[in-house]
Amino acid sequence: MTEITIRPEPRTTALTLIRTTALDHAAPGRRDDEPPPPNREMYDGLTSALEKWREAGPLREDSLLLVEWLAVELCGYLYEHLGQDNGRFDRWLRDFGNEVCQSQTHPHPAGPTAVEIMSVVAGGLGARSDSRTTTEQLVRIGVPYLHYVRPDHDVEDAREIALTFALWAGQQLAELMHHDPVRVRGYVDSRLH
């Protein structure tokens, strides 16, 4: 049995979550203005990966890398969608961040932390020729992320923030691919190999 079967890699998990969410958004007959129904299989698969990472010991590290992958993908999709214009992206992020912070009023919301992480990732958009996160950016992502993930609720909190990013990224990818399931699959499959 290979290690990936025992402990899925954060990158593979991130891209699988995005593909699933994007395909849910691109499902035939679904209206663009209504969210897709909750995907229990995706939720259970993510929970299983997080529990395996916790059993292996590095849940905080692997879940941070998962969130980094999701945030970088999401910001990349948004950056492309907004015409690779840093000013438009900054305005969008500010407006979206305000909306998220005002709408998520429960005691431990994932949205504001996700927006804070996106702002770190967004700081590097267009500045580099590749989309990899620098060590400094990973540390800056880790501060709000590790503050959000409570020791006694680590799987629950890691799942919540990963699902937040996956839902946002999947919707953006579906829009970029004009809600075409074949294009979504092709794009994500090319990224997985």
Side-chain angles (χ1 to χ4, degrees), residues 90-109:
D90 290 344
R91 285 187 299 279
W92 179 90
L93 185 57
R94 184 177 49 251
D95 293 344
F96 182 68
N98 287 338
E99 179 183 318
V100 165
C101 290
Q102 289 174 7
S103 67
Q104 294 194 353
T105 57
H106 52 88
H108 194 64

Side-chain angles (χ1 to χ4, degrees), residues 56 58 63 76 84 87 101 105 112 127 129 141:
S63 63
Q84 300 181 1
C101 290
T105 57
S129 60
I141 290 168

Side-chain angles (χ1 to χ4, degrees), residues 4-5 10 42-43 76 79 84 86-88 100 103 123 146 167 172-173 180 188:
I4 194 150
T5 305
M42 179 177 73
Y43 179 91
Y79 189 65
Q84 300 181 1
N86 286 346
R88 282 183 71 195
V100 165
S103 67
L146 295 174
L167 293 173
Q172 288 302 316
L173 180 60
D180 181 342
V188 177

Side-chain angles (χ1 to χ4, degrees), residues 5 15-16 24 33 36 39 64 73 75 81 84 101 132-134 144 167 187-188:
T5 305
L15 291 170
T16 300
D24 287 350
D33 62 341
N39 187 320
L64 172 60
E73 290 293 315
C75 287
H81 182 78
Q84 300 181 1
C101 290
R132 290 177 291 184
T133 309
T134 65
L167 293 173
Y187 173 80
V188 177

